[in-house]
Amino acid sequence: MTTLNRPRDLPQILLSVLFLSLMIVACLWIVRPFVLGFAWAGTIVIATWPVLIKLQRLLFGRRSLAVLVMTLLLFLLFVIPIALLVNSLVDGSTPLVHAISSGSISPPDLGWLKSIPMVGAKLYTGWHGLLDMGGNAIMAKVRPYIGSTTTWFVGQAAHIGRFMMHCGLMLLFSALLYWQGEKVAYGVRYFATRLAAKRGDAAVVLAGQAIRAVALGVVVTALVQAVLGGIGLAISGVPYATLLTVVMLFSCLVQLGPLVVLVPSIIWLYWTGDTTWGTVLLVWSCVVGTMDNFIRPVLIRMGADLPMVLILTGVIGGLIAFGMIGLFIGPVLLAVSWRLFDAWVHEVPPPSDDPEEVLEELEAQETAPESLHN
């Protein structure tokens, strides 16, 4: 029996692809306002899922009670502190932005340089010599760029309404994911298996490990160091402690550590004559500054080991692309992509350590057809 090959209906294929593309674009356009909140919630739920399971066991196996407790914990320990920090950042930075933009700021006199033994007088003379040679003109040229940069950073935190909307969506999606976490995870794995069989399922598992590594090893460590450092600043009487805590959180997220803020604060306390609280903050800074050496390795082992340059790029790029929420979503996206790329590369055997051996094998393959032909 002869089977005739039916010719492909090219217009039907093109119209089908076009229709599916339009449906996908329309769906993405509809859910676009919820994407960041859902991604944020997914990161938190994946990182804290073991805590939910333990709470459920303690609460007589009731998932509803465990979800309620976890949602309240997220609201008390995550949403409220971040909202307060953002409000403090905006309120505390407004005078600074106004001073820079209006041009009322000028180079400091630095009269305290004279009190430095041996080299103080030379430093003071050199500084004022620089000002006399055009330091004020340099400041006038640099001031617009400083003002624009500062205004941009504050503007990222100034969208409090949108940020709080994402916080509310994060709480809502977190509660839903806590409630139906197993079904959602199974659905994602099923979809990944449909796309790429076992490789797709493994990719989902690797993505979960990367998310947990970032959330626990980077974000949690930064939050702990920033909160403890902020407590030390507030107790020591350093002004603008809340605003400095925000700066410290950002410096910890980009792997610079809390000492970027704590060391100048210690110097300021000693300079103002408050040696007692300066010493207390110095000891407390030693504890907070070295805490990541013990916390981060323990937390990262719960997920996956990731390059620090990946985290740094994700934090800065996420902040520029998505605003304040990008501090958390940016590293997660890069970490997931890195884990999938790394797994794909290691699916083949590694190359030989000796480059000469590789060249010899290549020459042998090239000469083999010639010998067979002869």
Side-chain angles (χ1 to χ4, degrees), residues 271-294:
W271 186 255
T272 56
D274 197 351
T275 57
T276 301
W277 285 112
T279 304
V280 171
L281 186 59
L282 175 62
V283 176
W284 186 247
S285 300
C286 294
V287 176
V288 175
T290 58
M291 187 176 296
D292 59 333
N293 296 327
F294 306 98

mmCIF file with all atom_site columns, all heavy atoms in Angstrom, residues 271-294:
data_model
loop_
_atom_site.group_PDB
_atom_site.id
_atom_site.type_symbol
_atom_site.label_atom_id
_atom_site.label_alt_id
_atom_site.label_comp_id
_atom_site.label_asym_id
_atom_site.label_entity_id
_atom_site.label_seq_id
_atom_site.pdbx_PDB_ins_code
_atom_site.Cartn_x
_atom_site.Cartn_y
_atom_site.Cartn_z
_atom_site.occupancy
_atom_site.B_iso_or_equiv
_atom_site.pdbx_formal_charge
_atom_site.auth_seq_id
_atom_site.auth_comp_id
_atom_site.auth_asym_id
_atom_site.auth_atom_id
_atom_site.pdbx_PDB_model_num
ATOM 1   N N   . TRP A 1 271 ? 35.943 61.337 67.344 1.00 0.00 ? 271 TRP A N   1
ATOM 2   C CA  . TRP A 1 271 ? 36.262 62.725 67.005 1.00 0.00 ? 271 TRP A CA  1
ATOM 3   C C   . TRP A 1 271 ? 35.431 63.707 67.832 1.00 0.00 ? 271 TRP A C   1
ATOM 4   O O   . TRP A 1 271 ? 35.898 64.781 68.194 1.00 0.00 ? 271 TRP A O   1
ATOM 5   C CB  . TRP A 1 271 ? 36.034 62.948 65.516 1.00 0.00 ? 271 TRP A CB  1
ATOM 6   C CG  . TRP A 1 271 ? 36.478 64.304 65.064 1.00 0.00 ? 271 TRP A CG  1
ATOM 7   C CD1 . TRP A 1 271 ? 35.701 65.381 64.750 1.00 0.00 ? 271 TRP A CD1 1
ATOM 8   C CD2 . TRP A 1 271 ? 37.819 64.724 64.894 1.00 0.00 ? 271 TRP A CD2 1
ATOM 9   N NE1 . TRP A 1 271 ? 36.472 66.440 64.386 1.00 0.00 ? 271 TRP A NE1 1
ATOM 10  C CE2 . TRP A 1 271 ? 37.790 66.061 64.471 1.00 0.00 ? 271 TRP A CE2 1
ATOM 11  C CE3 . TRP A 1 271 ? 39.050 64.094 65.051 1.00 0.00 ? 271 TRP A CE3 1
ATOM 12  C CZ2 . TRP A 1 271 ? 38.933 66.793 64.207 1.00 0.00 ? 271 TRP A CZ2 1
ATOM 13  C CZ3 . TRP A 1 271 ? 40.195 64.815 64.791 1.00 0.00 ? 271 TRP A CZ3 1
ATOM 14  C CH2 . TRP A 1 271 ? 40.137 66.147 64.370 1.00 0.00 ? 271 TRP A CH2 1
ATOM 15  N N   . THR A 1 272 ? 34.184 63.328 68.139 1.00 0.00 ? 272 THR A N   1
ATOM 16  C CA  . THR A 1 272 ? 33.327 64.187 68.960 1.00 0.00 ? 272 THR A CA  1
ATOM 17  C C   . THR A 1 272 ? 33.607 64.046 70.448 1.00 0.00 ? 272 THR A C   1
ATOM 18  O O   . THR A 1 272 ? 32.956 64.712 71.256 1.00 0.00 ? 272 THR A O   1
ATOM 19  C CB  . THR A 1 272 ? 31.846 63.864 68.688 1.00 0.00 ? 272 THR A CB  1
ATOM 20  O OG1 . THR A 1 272 ? 31.611 62.463 68.920 1.00 0.00 ? 272 THR A OG1 1
ATOM 21  C CG2 . THR A 1 272 ? 31.482 64.211 67.255 1.00 0.00 ? 272 THR A CG2 1
ATOM 22  N N   . GLY A 1 273 ? 34.544 63.181 70.822 1.00 0.00 ? 273 GLY A N   1
ATOM 23  C CA  . GLY A 1 273 ? 34.914 63.029 72.225 1.00 0.00 ? 273 GLY A CA  1
ATOM 24  C C   . GLY A 1 273 ? 34.150 61.957 72.973 1.00 0.00 ? 273 GLY A C   1
ATOM 25  O O   . GLY A 1 273 ? 34.382 61.762 74.180 1.00 0.00 ? 273 GLY A O   1
ATOM 26  N N   . ASP A 1 274 ? 33.238 61.261 72.306 1.00 0.00 ? 274 ASP A N   1
ATOM 27  C CA  . ASP A 1 274 ? 32.466 60.208 72.968 1.00 0.00 ? 274 ASP A CA  1
ATOM 28  C C   . ASP A 1 274 ? 33.229 58.887 72.866 1.00 0.00 ? 274 ASP A C   1
ATOM 29  O O   . ASP A 1 274 ? 32.861 57.980 72.112 1.00 0.00 ? 274 ASP A O   1
ATOM 30  C CB  . ASP A 1 274 ? 31.090 60.089 72.309 1.00 0.00 ? 274 ASP A CB  1
ATOM 31  C CG  . ASP A 1 274 ? 30.090 59.336 73.174 1.00 0.00 ? 274 ASP A CG  1
ATOM 32  O OD1 . ASP A 1 274 ? 30.509 58.767 74.189 1.00 0.00 ? 274 ASP A OD1 1
ATOM 33  O OD2 . ASP A 1 274 ? 28.898 59.326 72.825 1.00 0.00 ? 274 ASP A OD2 1
ATOM 34  N N   . THR A 1 275 ? 34.303 58.779 73.624 1.00 0.00 ? 275 THR A N   1
ATOM 35  C CA  . THR A 1 275 ? 35.185 57.615 73.516 1.00 0.00 ? 275 THR A CA  1
ATOM 36  C C   . THR A 1 275 ? 34.540 56.339 74.063 1.00 0.00 ? 275 THR A C   1
ATOM 37  O O   . THR A 1 275 ? 34.846 55.237 73.605 1.00 0.00 ? 275 THR A O   1
ATOM 38  C CB  . THR A 1 275 ? 36.494 57.881 74.259 1.00 0.00 ? 275 THR A CB  1
ATOM 39  O OG1 . THR A 1 275 ? 36.205 58.218 75.634 1.00 0.00 ? 275 THR A OG1 1
ATOM 40  C CG2 . THR A 1 275 ? 37.248 59.039 73.623 1.00 0.00 ? 275 THR A CG2 1
ATOM 41  N N   . THR A 1 276 ? 33.651 56.496 75.056 1.00 0.00 ? 276 THR A N   1
ATOM 42  C CA  . THR A 1 276 ? 33.024 55.300 75.653 1.00 0.00 ? 276 THR A CA  1
ATOM 43  C C   . THR A 1 276 ? 32.168 54.564 74.624 1.00 0.00 ? 276 THR A C   1
ATOM 44  O O   . THR A 1 276 ? 32.361 53.365 74.379 1.00 0.00 ? 276 THR A O   1
ATOM 45  C CB  . THR A 1 276 ? 32.166 55.695 76.857 1.00 0.00 ? 276 THR A CB  1
ATOM 46  O OG1 . THR A 1 276 ? 32.982 56.357 77.822 1.00 0.00 ? 276 THR A OG1 1
ATOM 47  C CG2 . THR A 1 276 ? 31.536 54.456 77.486 1.00 0.00 ? 276 THR A CG2 1
ATOM 48  N N   . TRP A 1 277 ? 31.229 55.302 74.009 1.00 0.00 ? 277 TRP A N   1
ATOM 49  C CA  . TRP A 1 277 ? 30.381 54.664 73.009 1.00 0.00 ? 277 TRP A CA  1
ATOM 50  C C   . TRP A 1 277 ? 31.158 54.341 71.741 1.00 0.00 ? 277 TRP A C   1
ATOM 51  O O   . TRP A 1 277 ? 30.793 53.414 71.018 1.00 0.00 ? 277 TRP A O   1
ATOM 52  C CB  . TRP A 1 277 ? 29.195 55.550 72.678 1.00 0.00 ? 277 TRP A CB  1
ATOM 53  C CG  . TRP A 1 277 ? 28.149 55.542 73.753 1.00 0.00 ? 277 TRP A CG  1
ATOM 54  C CD1 . TRP A 1 277 ? 27.801 56.574 74.571 1.00 0.00 ? 277 TRP A CD1 1
ATOM 55  C CD2 . TRP A 1 277 ? 27.338 54.433 74.134 1.00 0.00 ? 277 TRP A CD2 1
ATOM 56  N NE1 . TRP A 1 277 ? 26.814 56.186 75.443 1.00 0.00 ? 277 TRP A NE1 1
ATOM 57  C CE2 . TRP A 1 277 ? 26.504 54.870 75.191 1.00 0.00 ? 277 TRP A CE2 1
ATOM 58  C CE3 . TRP A 1 277 ? 27.230 53.115 73.699 1.00 0.00 ? 277 TRP A CE3 1
ATOM 59  C CZ2 . TRP A 1 277 ? 25.583 54.034 75.811 1.00 0.00 ? 277 TRP A CZ2 1
ATOM 60  C CZ3 . TRP A 1 277 ? 26.311 52.279 74.313 1.00 0.00 ? 277 TRP A CZ3 1
ATOM 61  C CH2 . TRP A 1 277 ? 25.498 52.739 75.358 1.00 0.00 ? 277 TRP A CH2 1
ATOM 62  N N   . GLY A 1 278 ? 32.222 55.085 71.470 1.00 0.00 ? 278 GLY A N   1
ATOM 63  C CA  . GLY A 1 278 ? 33.071 54.736 70.344 1.00 0.00 ? 278 GLY A CA  1
ATOM 64  C C   . GLY A 1 278 ? 33.733 53.378 70.537 1.00 0.00 ? 278 GLY A C   1
ATOM 65  O O   . GLY A 1 278 ? 33.815 52.569 69.599 1.00 0.00 ? 278 GLY A O   1
ATOM 66  N N   . THR A 1 279 ? 34.189 53.120 71.773 1.00 0.00 ? 279 THR A N   1
ATOM 67  C CA  . THR A 1 279 ? 34.797 51.816 72.067 1.00 0.00 ? 279 THR A CA  1
ATOM 68  C C   . THR A 1 279 ? 33.758 50.705 72.006 1.00 0.00 ? 279 THR A C   1
ATOM 69  O O   . THR A 1 279 ? 34.024 49.605 71.497 1.00 0.00 ? 279 THR A O   1
ATOM 70  C CB  . THR A 1 279 ? 35.449 51.854 73.453 1.00 0.00 ? 279 THR A CB  1
ATOM 71  O OG1 . THR A 1 279 ? 36.385 52.935 73.498 1.00 0.00 ? 279 THR A OG1 1
ATOM 72  C CG2 . THR A 1 279 ? 36.176 50.545 73.739 1.00 0.00 ? 279 THR A CG2 1
ATOM 73  N N   . VAL A 1 280 ? 32.549 50.988 72.531 1.00 0.00 ? 280 VAL A N   1
ATOM 74  C CA  . VAL A 1 280 ? 31.487 49.976 72.476 1.00 0.00 ? 280 VAL A CA  1
ATOM 75  C C   . VAL A 1 280 ? 31.143 49.634 71.025 1.00 0.00 ? 280 VAL A C   1
ATOM 76  O O   . VAL A 1 280 ? 31.013 48.461 70.649 1.00 0.00 ? 280 VAL A O   1
ATOM 77  C CB  . VAL A 1 280 ? 30.237 50.487 73.225 1.00 0.00 ? 280 VAL A CB  1
ATOM 78  C CG1 . VAL A 1 280 ? 29.055 49.543 72.997 1.00 0.00 ? 280 VAL A CG1 1
ATOM 79  C CG2 . VAL A 1 280 ? 30.525 50.623 74.704 1.00 0.00 ? 280 VAL A CG2 1
ATOM 80  N N   . LEU A 1 281 ? 31.003 50.668 70.188 1.00 0.00 ? 281 LEU A N   1
ATOM 81  C CA  . LEU A 1 281 ? 30.691 50.424 68.784 1.00 0.00 ? 281 LEU A CA  1
ATOM 82  C C   . LEU A 1 281 ? 31.838 49.732 68.067 1.00 0.00 ? 281 LEU A C   1
ATOM 83  O O   . LEU A 1 281 ? 31.623 48.927 67.154 1.00 0.00 ? 281 LEU A O   1
ATOM 84  C CB  . LEU A 1 281 ? 30.361 51.746 68.090 1.00 0.00 ? 281 LEU A CB  1
ATOM 85  C CG  . LEU A 1 281 ? 29.865 51.634 66.638 1.00 0.00 ? 281 LEU A CG  1
ATOM 86  C CD1 . LEU A 1 281 ? 28.601 50.796 66.552 1.00 0.00 ? 281 LEU A CD1 1
ATOM 87  C CD2 . LEU A 1 281 ? 29.621 53.016 66.039 1.00 0.00 ? 281 LEU A CD2 1
ATOM 88  N N   . LEU A 1 282 ? 33.074 50.006 68.486 1.00 0.00 ? 282 LEU A N   1
ATOM 89  C CA  . LEU A 1 282 ? 34.232 49.336 67.887 1.00 0.00 ? 282 LEU A CA  1
ATOM 90  C C   . LEU A 1 282 ? 34.184 47.836 68.155 1.00 0.00 ? 282 LEU A C   1
ATOM 91  O O   . LEU A 1 282 ? 34.384 47.016 67.242 1.00 0.00 ? 282 LEU A O   1
ATOM 92  C CB  . LEU A 1 282 ? 35.521 49.939 68.443 1.00 0.00 ? 282 LEU A CB  1
ATOM 93  C CG  . LEU A 1 282 ? 36.828 49.270 68.012 1.00 0.00 ? 282 LEU A CG  1
ATOM 94  C CD1 . LEU A 1 282 ? 37.001 49.367 66.494 1.00 0.00 ? 282 LEU A CD1 1
ATOM 95  C CD2 . LEU A 1 282 ? 38.012 49.905 68.729 1.00 0.00 ? 282 LEU A CD2 1
ATOM 96  N N   . VAL A 1 283 ? 33.907 47.462 69.394 1.00 0.00 ? 283 VAL A N   1
ATOM 97  C CA  . VAL A 1 283 ? 33.821 46.033 69.737 1.00 0.00 ? 283 VAL A CA  1
ATOM 98  C C   . VAL A 1 283 ? 32.644 45.391 69.015 1.00 0.00 ? 283 VAL A C   1
ATOM 99  O O   . VAL A 1 283 ? 32.757 44.288 68.465 1.00 0.00 ? 283 VAL A O   1
ATOM 100 C CB  . VAL A 1 283 ? 33.690 45.866 71.263 1.00 0.00 ? 283 VAL A CB  1
ATOM 101 C CG1 . VAL A 1 283 ? 33.491 44.400 71.625 1.00 0.00 ? 283 VAL A CG1 1
ATOM 102 C CG2 . VAL A 1 283 ? 34.916 46.421 71.978 1.00 0.00 ? 283 VAL A CG2 1
ATOM 103 N N   . TRP A 1 284 ? 31.509 46.096 68.995 1.00 0.00 ? 284 TRP A N   1
ATOM 104 C CA  . TRP A 1 284 ? 30.323 45.551 68.320 1.00 0.00 ? 284 TRP A CA  1
ATOM 105 C C   . TRP A 1 284 ? 30.557 45.417 66.820 1.00 0.00 ? 284 TRP A C   1
ATOM 106 O O   . TRP A 1 284 ? 30.080 44.455 66.189 1.00 0.00 ? 284 TRP A O   1
ATOM 107 C CB  . TRP A 1 284 ? 29.137 46.464 68.594 1.00 0.00 ? 284 TRP A CB  1
ATOM 108 C CG  . TRP A 1 284 ? 27.822 45.967 68.075 1.00 0.00 ? 284 TRP A CG  1
ATOM 109 C CD1 . TRP A 1 284 ? 27.070 46.516 67.085 1.00 0.00 ? 284 TRP A CD1 1
ATOM 110 C CD2 . TRP A 1 284 ? 27.102 44.810 68.515 1.00 0.00 ? 284 TRP A CD2 1
ATOM 111 N NE1 . TRP A 1 284 ? 25.925 45.785 66.874 1.00 0.00 ? 284 TRP A NE1 1
ATOM 112 C CE2 . TRP A 1 284 ? 25.919 44.724 67.736 1.00 0.00 ? 284 TRP A CE2 1
ATOM 113 C CE3 . TRP A 1 284 ? 27.344 43.838 69.482 1.00 0.00 ? 284 TRP A CE3 1
ATOM 114 C CZ2 . TRP A 1 284 ? 24.986 43.712 67.912 1.00 0.00 ? 284 TRP A CZ2 1
ATOM 115 C CZ3 . TRP A 1 284 ? 26.412 42.823 69.651 1.00 0.00 ? 284 TRP A CZ3 1
ATOM 116 C CH2 . TRP A 1 284 ? 25.255 42.765 68.870 1.00 0.00 ? 284 TRP A CH2 1
ATOM 117 N N   . SER A 1 285 ? 31.307 46.335 66.228 1.00 0.00 ? 285 SER A N   1
ATOM 118 C CA  . SER A 1 285 ? 31.604 46.269 64.796 1.00 0.00 ? 285 SER A CA  1
ATOM 119 C C   . SER A 1 285 ? 32.485 45.072 64.474 1.00 0.00 ? 285 SER A C   1
ATOM 120 O O   . SER A 1 285 ? 32.347 44.459 63.397 1.00 0.00 ? 285 SER A O   1
ATOM 121 C CB  . SER A 1 285 ? 32.275 47.562 64.333 1.00 0.00 ? 285 SER A CB  1
ATOM 122 O OG  . SER A 1 285 ? 31.448 48.682 64.554 1.00 0.00 ? 285 SER A OG  1
ATOM 123 N N   . CYS A 1 286 ? 33.401 44.737 65.372 1.00 0.00 ? 286 CYS A N   1
ATOM 124 C CA  . CYS A 1 286 ? 34.235 43.549 65.152 1.00 0.00 ? 286 CYS A CA  1
ATOM 125 C C   . CYS A 1 286 ? 33.383 42.287 65.093 1.00 0.00 ? 286 CYS A C   1
ATOM 126 O O   . CYS A 1 286 ? 33.639 41.376 64.293 1.00 0.00 ? 286 CYS A O   1
ATOM 127 C CB  . CYS A 1 286 ? 35.289 43.440 66.242 1.00 0.00 ? 286 CYS A CB  1
ATOM 128 S SG  . CYS A 1 286 ? 36.520 44.768 66.228 1.00 0.00 ? 286 CYS A SG  1
ATOM 129 N N   . VAL A 1 287 ? 32.354 42.241 65.937 1.00 0.00 ? 287 VAL A N   1
ATOM 130 C CA  . VAL A 1 287 ? 31.465 41.076 65.939 1.00 0.00 ? 287 VAL A CA  1
ATOM 131 C C   . VAL A 1 287 ? 30.617 41.041 64.672 1.00 0.00 ? 287 VAL A C   1
ATOM 132 O O   . VAL A 1 287 ? 30.515 40.017 63.988 1.00 0.00 ? 287 VAL A O   1
ATOM 133 C CB  . VAL A 1 287 ? 30.564 41.095 67.194 1.00 0.00 ? 287 VAL A CB  1
ATOM 134 C CG1 . VAL A 1 287 ? 29.575 39.934 67.159 1.00 0.00 ? 287 VAL A CG1 1
ATOM 135 C CG2 . VAL A 1 287 ? 31.412 41.031 68.451 1.00 0.00 ? 287 VAL A CG2 1
ATOM 136 N N   . VAL A 1 288 ? 30.003 42.179 64.328 1.00 0.00 ? 288 VAL A N   1
ATOM 137 C CA  . VAL A 1 288 ? 29.108 42.234 63.164 1.00 0.00 ? 288 VAL A CA  1
ATOM 138 C C   . VAL A 1 288 ? 29.896 42.057 61.863 1.00 0.00 ? 288 VAL A C   1
ATOM 139 O O   . VAL A 1 288 ? 29.438 41.384 60.937 1.00 0.00 ? 288 VAL A O   1
ATOM 140 C CB  . VAL A 1 288 ? 28.335 43.572 63.159 1.00 0.00 ? 288 VAL A CB  1
ATOM 141 C CG1 . VAL A 1 288 ? 27.497 43.692 61.898 1.00 0.00 ? 288 VAL A CG1 1
ATOM 142 C CG2 . VAL A 1 288 ? 27.459 43.680 64.388 1.00 0.00 ? 288 VAL A CG2 1
ATOM 143 N N   . GLY A 1 289 ? 31.094 42.645 61.791 1.00 0.00 ? 289 GLY A N   1
ATOM 144 C CA  . GLY A 1 289 ? 31.875 42.580 60.563 1.00 0.00 ? 289 GLY A CA  1
ATOM 145 C C   . GLY A 1 289 ? 32.376 41.195 60.224 1.00 0.00 ? 289 GLY A C   1
ATOM 146 O O   . GLY A 1 289 ? 32.576 40.874 59.048 1.00 0.00 ? 289 GLY A O   1
ATOM 147 N N   . THR A 1 290 ? 32.602 40.358 61.234 1.00 0.00 ? 290 THR A N   1
ATOM 148 C CA  . THR A 1 290 ? 33.096 39.000 60.996 1.00 0.00 ? 290 THR A CA  1
ATOM 149 C C   . THR A 1 290 ? 31.993 37.954 61.025 1.00 0.00 ? 290 THR A C   1
ATOM 150 O O   . THR A 1 290 ? 32.266 36.769 60.846 1.00 0.00 ? 290 THR A O   1
ATOM 151 C CB  . THR A 1 290 ? 34.152 38.645 62.051 1.00 0.00 ? 290 THR A CB  1
ATOM 152 O OG1 . THR A 1 290 ? 33.580 38.771 63.360 1.00 0.00 ? 290 THR A OG1 1
ATOM 153 C CG2 . THR A 1 290 ? 35.348 39.573 61.945 1.00 0.00 ? 290 THR A CG2 1
ATOM 154 N N   . MET A 1 291 ? 30.768 38.391 61.245 1.00 0.00 ? 291 MET A N   1
ATOM 155 C CA  . MET A 1 291 ? 29.668 37.432 61.380 1.00 0.00 ? 291 MET A CA  1
ATOM 156 C C   . MET A 1 291 ? 29.396 36.680 60.088 1.00 0.00 ? 291 MET A C   1
ATOM 157 O O   . MET A 1 291 ? 29.016 35.500 60.106 1.00 0.00 ? 291 MET A O   1
ATOM 158 C CB  . MET A 1 291 ? 28.417 38.187 61.834 1.00 0.00 ? 291 MET A CB  1
ATOM 159 C CG  . MET A 1 291 ? 27.235 37.306 62.176 1.00 0.00 ? 291 MET A CG  1
ATOM 160 S SD  . MET A 1 291 ? 25.875 38.310 62.795 1.00 0.00 ? 291 MET A SD  1
ATOM 161 C CE  . MET A 1 291 ? 26.614 38.953 64.302 1.00 0.00 ? 291 MET A CE  1
ATOM 162 N N   . ASP A 1 292 ? 29.597 37.346 58.938 1.00 0.00 ? 292 ASP A N   1
ATOM 163 C CA  . ASP A 1 292 ? 29.295 36.683 57.670 1.00 0.00 ? 292 ASP A CA  1
ATOM 164 C C   . ASP A 1 292 ? 30.219 35.509 57.398 1.00 0.00 ? 292 ASP A C   1
ATOM 165 O O   . ASP A 1 292 ? 29.861 34.599 56.647 1.00 0.00 ? 292 ASP A O   1
ATOM 166 C CB  . ASP A 1 292 ? 29.369 37.687 56.522 1.00 0.00 ? 292 ASP A CB  1
ATOM 167 C CG  . ASP A 1 292 ? 30.738 38.335 56.419 1.00 0.00 ? 292 ASP A CG  1
ATOM 168 O OD1 . ASP A 1 292 ? 31.413 38.429 57.454 1.00 0.00 ? 292 ASP A OD1 1
ATOM 169 O OD2 . ASP A 1 292 ? 31.114 38.754 55.317 1.00 0.00 ? 292 ASP A OD2 1
ATOM 170 N N   . ASN A 1 293 ? 31.404 35.503 57.995 1.00 0.00 ? 293 ASN A N   1
ATOM 171 C CA  . ASN A 1 293 ? 32.321 34.378 57.800 1.00 0.00 ? 293 ASN A CA  1
ATOM 172 C C   . ASN A 1 293 ? 31.788 33.089 58.409 1.00 0.00 ? 293 ASN A C   1
ATOM 173 O O   . ASN A 1 293 ? 32.217 31.993 58.011 1.00 0.00 ? 293 ASN A O   1
ATOM 174 C CB  . ASN A 1 293 ? 33.685 34.701 58.406 1.00 0.00 ? 293 ASN A CB  1
ATOM 175 C CG  . ASN A 1 293 ? 34.364 35.866 57.722 1.00 0.00 ? 293 ASN A CG  1
ATOM 176 O OD1 . ASN A 1 293 ? 34.207 36.061 56.517 1.00 0.00 ? 293 ASN A OD1 1
ATOM 177 N ND2 . ASN A 1 293 ? 35.084 36.672 58.486 1.00 0.00 ? 293 ASN A ND2 1
ATOM 178 N N   . PHE A 1 294 ? 30.870 33.212 59.355 1.00 0.00 ? 294 PHE A N   1
ATOM 179 C CA  . PHE A 1 294 ? 30.303 32.027 60.000 1.00 0.00 ? 294 PHE A CA  1
ATOM 180 C C   . PHE A 1 294 ? 28.889 31.734 59.510 1.00 0.00 ? 294 PHE A C   1
ATOM 181 O O   . PHE A 1 294 ? 28.514 30.568 59.362 1.00 0.00 ? 294 PHE A O   1
ATOM 182 C CB  . PHE A 1 294 ? 30.277 32.225 61.530 1.00 0.00 ? 294 PHE A CB  1
ATOM 183 C CG  . PHE A 1 294 ? 31.611 32.587 62.113 1.00 0.00 ? 294 PHE A CG  1
ATOM 184 C CD1 . PHE A 1 294 ? 31.928 33.909 62.395 1.00 0.00 ? 294 PHE A CD1 1
ATOM 185 C CD2 . PHE A 1 294 ? 32.561 31.617 62.354 1.00 0.00 ? 294 PHE A CD2 1
ATOM 186 C CE1 . PHE A 1 294 ? 33.156 34.254 62.927 1.00 0.00 ? 294 PHE A CE1 1
ATOM 187 C CE2 . PHE A 1 294 ? 33.796 31.951 62.877 1.00 0.00 ? 294 PHE A CE2 1
ATOM 188 C CZ  . PHE A 1 294 ? 34.097 33.271 63.170 1.00 0.00 ? 294 PHE A CZ  1
#
